[in-house]
Amino acid sequence: MERRTNYQDHPSRFFLLIARIIGFLIAGVFLLFMVPEFIEILHNKSGYTEFWIFIFYILAMIYGAGFLLSFWKIKISAYIMIVSSVAIALYGFLDTMSWAIFLILIPLSFSGILFLIYSKKMDK
């Protein structure tokens, strides 16, 4: 008889479940709201201001790609998600010069951190 692995079988599997839920929500919001505007920016081909928005969308897509990669390579995707989320938070701070925006964008890295915790615990 085959034994199914549940999230209760190993405590670190809980980190994986929560990281995937948070990552799915964040990546879904990015794709749902930002991709149409990204296409509009490419269509208009306007000036310098849109270049900064273009960078933000590229970082958001890198975050989404890191989340999708997490289904195959957890450790690499965790690093991609953490680096891109910190870059997004720094971009938000540099764009507005407001610590409030920086603090609002920092939680983007939570799912990457949880993926990293999971991969470290599974390596032991």
Side-chain angles (χ1 to χ4, degrees):
M1 184 166 179
E2 182 180 323
R3 178 170 156 72
R4 295 185 66 179
T5 305
N6 295 326
Y7 284 101
Q8 297 90 351
D9 290 344
H10 197 277
S12 64
R13 303 263 311 161
F14 179 73
F15 291 121
L16 182 64
L17 176 67
I18 297 300
R20 287 207 173 135
I21 290 171
I22 293 171
F24 178 74
L25 292 174
I26 291 171
V29 167
F30 276 154
L31 291 176
L32 185 63
F33 293 110
M34 295 182 184
V35 170
E37 291 193 27
F38 177 69
I39 293 170
E40 183 67 28
I41 289 171
L42 290 177
H43 180 68
N44 287 337
K45 298 179 184 174
S46 37
Y48 180 74
T49 306
E50 280 74 18
F51 177 73
W52 284 105
I53 296 171
F54 182 75
I55 291 174
F56 179 75
Y57 291 134
I58 293 294
L59 290 172
M61 287 186 188
I62 291 171
Y63 183 89
F67 174 70
L68 290 176
L69 185 65
S70 72
F71 288 97
W72 296 281
K73 302 285 184 179
I74 294 176
K75 188 178 272 189
I76 293 170
S77 68
Y79 287 126
I80 290 171
M81 291 173 73
I82 291 171
V83 168
S84 64
S85 64
V86 169
I88 289 170
L90 286 175
Y91 170 84
F93 174 73
L94 292 175
D95 189 38
T96 62
M97 288 301 182
S98 171
W99 286 103
I101 298 297
F102 183 77
L103 293 175
I104 288 172
L105 292 174
I106 282 295
L108 292 176
S109 62
F110 287 168
S111 59
I113 291 169
L114 289 173
F115 279 131
L116 197 59
I117 291 171
Y118 171 76
S119 67
K120 295 290 184 186
K121 287 193 178 277
M122 291 306 286
D123 286 344
K124 290 181 181 180

